[in-house]
Structures are given as C-alpha cells and as structure tokens.
Amino acid sequence: MEAQSLIIGGILIGALGVLAFVVGRLVHQRSMARHIATNGVTKSANLADSLRDEKLKSEIILNAIEDGVILLDDQKTIQLFNPGAAAITGWQADEALGLDFHAVIRLVDEKDSPYTEDQNPFNRVYKEALTVRDHEATLVSRSDKRISLNLSVSPLFDQNQEVNGAVAVFRDVSEERQQERQRDEFISTASHEMRTPVAAIEGYLSLALNDKVSTIDTRARSYLDKAHAATKHLGTLFQDLLTSAKAEDGRLSNHPRVVEVGECMEQLAQDLRFTAEKKGLSVELVIGSNQTIDASSTHRIIRPLYYAHVDPDRLIEVVTNLFDNAVKYTPEGKISLGLTGNDSVVQIYVRDTGPGIAREDVPHLFQKFYRVDNSATRTIGGTGLGLYICRKIIELYHGKIWVESELGKGSTFFINLPRLSTAQAEQMKAAEAAQPAT
Ligand code: ADP
C-alpha cells in the first residue's frame, strides 16, 4: 500500500509540476497582456502567436489529463475546473466556476463524517502555506456517490509571499482502495485459518520434545528444537498479520477503562525482567523524574498516580513489544522502563543501550512491514509489524508514540497518553462500577 501511495504520490507531484508550469504560463500571459494593454505597445504578430500557442498548450494539457485539477482564488472560490475534475466530482465546469470550494469538494473520513474545517486540506493550505497531501480522503460526488481520492493541494503566493490561492490535483483511487480492502480481507482470513494448524503443529512438537511423553535421540531433538522455534515464529507472524488487519479496519478488540499506569508498569517490569536477564541485560524501572527502582524490587514507594483511560491488555501488549525489541536488538547493557508525566500527559518510555537507529530510518519505523536493513536485522528474525501495531493501538487512545535514537548509543521509545486527574479518574471509576457487567 505504501509503495502504491508513493507511486501515486509521484504521479501527483509530476502532475503538480506540469500544473505549476501551466498556471505559471497563464499568469505570465495575463501579465503580458496587461502590460501590452496598459503601455499601448503595438502587439507584434510573433508575440500574439506565441501567446496563443502557449494558451493552447496549457489548455490541451489541462483538458487531456485524467486527474482533476482545480484552482482557487484568495476567497477560496473556484477559478479553474478541468474536465478531469468534472468527471470525478459530477459537477460541470460552468456550474462549479465561481462557487466556494466547499460546495463542490465535499470530503468525508473513513467513518463518513465530514471533514472539520481544521482537517480540510484546502483550509490547511491557506493556514499553513504548505502543500498538503491526503491519501485517505473520500469525496461525496454531486450524486452523493463516495469516491476515494488521492489529493494534493498546494498554495499560490502573491508578491508579499502571502497565500492568495491554491491549486489542487486529485485522482479517483476507488478501485485501488477496493483492491487494498480485498487484500487485507484475504490476509485476515488466511492468517485466521492458518493459526489453528500452526498451533496444532506447535503443540505436537512440544509433546515430541517433552521427555515425559516421548523418547528421542539427541540429533532428533536438535532438529525438533529448530522446527519448534520456526513454528512459534510462524504463529507470531499470523497473529501479527491478523492484529494489523483488525487494527486497519477498526476491529481490534478494545475495552478501555480507568487504569493506574504506575501499577501496571510495576507489575510488567516484574514479569518482563526475566527475558532481559536471561540475555545478561540489567533492567530498571524509573518512576517520576528521578526515582529509579530496581525492577526486582518489591519495596512500595510513594509516587504520583498516573491515570489513563486505556485497555490495560492493549497497553501491556505495546510496552511488552517495545521491551522485547529492546532485548532483541541490544547485545549488552541496560534496559530502562520509565514512567513520568505532567498535568495532561502520562509518559511511558523504554530505553536501551543497543545499536540505535539511523536518522533516515526513524520516519518509517512505525510503517507496516518496515525493518531496518542492517547486519543485526538480517540475522535477528522479525516481521516489521510490531511497531505498526503499537502505533495503531496508541492512536486508539489519542496518544502518540515515537522514538529518539542515536547510532551506537541506543534508542528510547516514548508513549504519551492523555492523563486523567485523580478526580476525573475517581468519577469515571464510579461510573464504570455503576454500569451492569457485560
Ligand atoms: P520487527 O519484527 O522487525 O522487530 P518492529 O516493527 O517491532 O518489527 O520493528 C521495526 C524495526 O525497527 C526492526 O526491524 C528494527 O530494525 C528496528 N527496531 C525496533 N526496535 C529497535 C531497538 N530497540 N533498537 C534498534 N532497532 C530497533
């Protein structure tokens, strides 16, 4: 899907280039015409010819391309509406010209809710003075049909560098989105169906490896050990594929409630430290800005209460994933699990002393199937789905996940979640308790 978006993005950027040229030529022609008129200069036959030629070329391009192209003025009124735009939106150019863009380009999100003014890429361009791309938008056509769009809107500037217009290029990608949905559905069904036989194979291999029920020689044991590890990996892959397909279409099971994140992290640090210690890595839990607690410590300390409204199982899944990655990619040193925050945010972090992540990889890390290509990842198994799933889960709770890393020094993965005040938490807990159990 990302490759497809890139290709389509490339085409759109190409089209935008052509368009910038065309719009530039039109503006140039107008100013030339004005210049000629105001100065009373006699038109030379050559200039008139070349202007006509340029205009013709611009019109040919705008009329020929399938992509929709529209031009808005400083009042966000439609000034140019090519046949591509008419075909996609169902509006004729003579109807659309002179209208506010809202009337013609009605955008909704995947839940069919209309875009808010702040979300609308056209408004954002006027506000942010930057090109805005939206590959998820859906257009409501004139006859109320839903059309999936790939949209790119760029600002136009006056002499003072103020935005005085916008040009939009868009393409109907309904067919591609439909194919994407079918592909995701197939992955979801296939991984669901394949989990059962894989679990059965894993179970029988465990039995074969169990001294109490089977007798095997050393060589057979070493083969079965490898088969068992590979089957476990396959099981994880199917589970990850299923989870990511569910996350994509909003079917991820999710039962949020008021959670005291500190308590959750203390328990988790106890459970997770074994995997790290098995590899010779030390583990610490840091609560607040400077309270460091050995992960094996059972002492209770007085600390702030960090409440958030999340599904604790999902939060544990995310932190476990980050912790497992830290263990997996760190050959030696320490892993720190941290919890801190301010009035509005609960922040969890997982810090390691591993190899770090190159700056150019960081923006892609939370994309589906992205794995950094280096000697470590070539030998260490993985699917490239873990961080993608983490992001999808954290976004369910209106949180944010990101990484800060330096090559050779280690990485820190951060999660920010909206924090509930103690009063809010008490109130919500009381409401939860009053609800009948499901
Ligand atoms: P994988 O199954 O490959 O671990 P993830 O989505 O969990 O998939 O991680 C994506 C990539 O991010 C990994 O392939 C790895 O290159 C990099 N990565 C994740 N965590 C760390 C870490 N703690 N240190 C270094 N690299 C990491």
Side-chain angles (χ1 to χ4, degrees):
M1 176 193 163
E2 258 112 33
Q4 211 169 40
S5 303
L6 274 177
I7 294 167
I8 293 169
I11 294 169
L12 282 179
I13 289 166
L16 262 181
V18 171
L19 190 74
F21 171 77
V22 170
V23 171
R25 294 310 308 171
L26 284 174
V27 171
H28 178 68
Q29 284 164 23
R30 280 198 193 143
S31 70
M32 284 299 283
R34 218 176 297 131
H35 180 77
I36 291 165
T38 49
N39 292 301
V41 181
T42 325
K43 280 188 256 171
S44 89
N46 279 348
L47 182 58
D49 282 352
S50 74
L51 279 178
R52 241 195 326 273
D53 279 357
E54 290 294 344
K55 190 160 184 288
L56 208 64
K57 273 192 227 158
S58 312
E59 275 174 12
I60 289 171
I61 295 172
L62 281 174
N63 291 342
I65 57 175
E66 267 188 24
D67 292 347
V69 177
I70 63 175
L71 176 70
L72 305 185
D73 64 13
D74 57 342
Q75 298 301 311
K76 303 183 185 170
T77 304
I78 299 175
Q79 293 298 337
L80 185 149
F81 200 79
N82 79 333
I88 295 171
T89 61
W91 287 77
Q92 290 310 309
D94 53 355
E95 298 169 324
L97 290 173
L99 290 184
D100 183 281
F101 83 91
H102 288 94
V104 178
I105 308 291
R106 290 182 290 153
L107 298 174
V108 295
D109 62 19
E110 75 276 11
K111 294 197 184 108
D112 212 39
S113 314
Y115 272 26
T116 60
E117 286 296 287
D118 288 344
Q119 201 182 5
N120 194 307
F122 288 87
N123 290 333
R124 283 181 54 202
V125 162
Y126 282 85
K127 213 159 137 192
E128 296 166 20
L130 290 170
T131 295
V132 177
R133 298 190 181 88
D134 187 337
H135 302 318
E136 320 252 283
T138 301
L139 174 95
V140 182
S141 76
R142 185 159 197 196
S143 56
D144 278 346
K145 241 176 75 186
R146 287 346 187 219
I147 294 163
S148 303
L149 281 196
N150 241 350
L151 170 72
S152 181
V153 191
S154 297
L156 297 172
F157 299 96
D158 61 15
Q159 300 95 316
N160 304 322
Q161 291 307 304
E162 303 281 341
V163 179
N164 73 343
V167 57
V169 182
F170 49 95
R171 164 167 295 201
D172 180 351
V173 289
S174 305
E175 215 170 293
E176 287 92 329
R177 284 240 193 113
Q178 171 67 11
Q179 283 169 1
E180 239 166 58
R181 265 194 294 272
Q182 283 170 349
R183 204 183 52 205
D184 287 347
E185 243 173 68
F186 171 74
I187 291 178
S188 170
T189 317
S191 34
H192 186 78
E193 292 302 321
M194 285 191 240
R195 256 182 347 157
T196 318
V198 169
I201 299 170
E202 200 193 324
Y204 284 117
L205 286 172
S206 300
L207 283 177
L209 285 164
N210 186 338
D211 291 335
K212 291 190 188 120
V213 284
S214 318
T215 316
I216 47 171
D217 66 18
T218 332
R219 194 186 291 185
R221 175 171 296 278
S222 89
Y223 295 152
L224 289 183
D225 265 337
K226 289 194 179 91
H228 191 226
T231 318
K232 262 176 105 166
H233 179 62
L234 198 60
T236 317
L237 174 64
F238 285 142
Q239 184 56 50
D240 282 357
L241 280 171
L242 195 61
T243 314
S244 76
K246 282 186 179 171
E248 229 142 69
D249 53 25
R251 283 184 297 125
L252 214 55
S253 79
N254 175 33
H255 306 286
R257 58 180 173 81
V258 175
V259 171
E260 205 285 292
V261 183
E263 202 179 307
C264 192
M265 291 292 287
E266 278 171 357
Q267 182 58 50
L268 201 56
Q270 294 276 354
D271 299 344
L272 292 177
R273 73 191 168 95
F274 296 107
T275 42
E277 284 169 1
K278 229 162 73 184
K279 202 179 163 186
L281 299 164
S282 62
V283 178
E284 66 175 14
L285 175 66
V286 187
I287 296 200
S289 48
N290 51 12
Q291 283 171 322
T292 305
I293 311 159
D294 186 303
S296 57
S297 160
T298 48
H299 296 310
R300 307 284 309 164
I301 55 151
I302 298 178
R303 55 165 182 79
L305 296 173
Y306 294 103
Y307 287 110
H309 192 243
V310 293
D311 182 331
D313 293 336
R314 290 276 170 225
L315 184 63
I316 289 171
E317 187 180 339
V318 172
V319 180
T320 306
N321 209 327
L322 298 182
F323 191 90
D324 285 348
N325 272 352
V327 173
K328 199 158 83 168
Y329 295 106
T330 305
E332 59 183 24
K334 185 170 73 177
I335 296 170
S336 313
L337 264 178
L339 175 65
T340 174
N342 60 23
D343 286 348
S344 55
V345 169
V346 178
Q347 184 172 86
I348 300 167
Y349 62 84
V350 180
R351 178 169 295 144
D352 64 55
T353 53
I357 297 158
R359 195 192 291 243
E360 60 272 25
D361 289 310
V362 168
H364 308 288
L365 225 55
F366 296 89
Q367 290 169 358
K368 203 160 49 165
F369 296 120
Y370 193 83
R371 300 201 74 213
V372 176
D373 185 22
N374 59 28
S375 52
T377 47
R378 261 174 252 133
T379 48
I380 301 171
T383 60
L385 282 169
L387 292 179
Y388 170 76
I389 294 172
C390 289
R391 173 167 69 85
K392 284 291 186 184
I393 294 175
I394 294 302
E395 283 173 357
L396 278 179
Y397 308 120
H398 310 290
K400 203 178 140 203
I401 182 166
W402 76 101
V403 64
E404 287 173 13
S405 184
E406 204 178 323
L407 273 182
K409 296 230 169 111
S411 315
T412 309
F413 284 82
F414 292 93
I415 298 167
N416 274 7
L417 291 167
R419 181 174 182 178
L420 300 173
S421 68
T422 307
Q424 277 172 323
E426 297 298 341
Q427 215 175 12
M428 287 171 76
K429 274 205 269 192
E432 277 167 13
Q435 263 178 14
T438 46

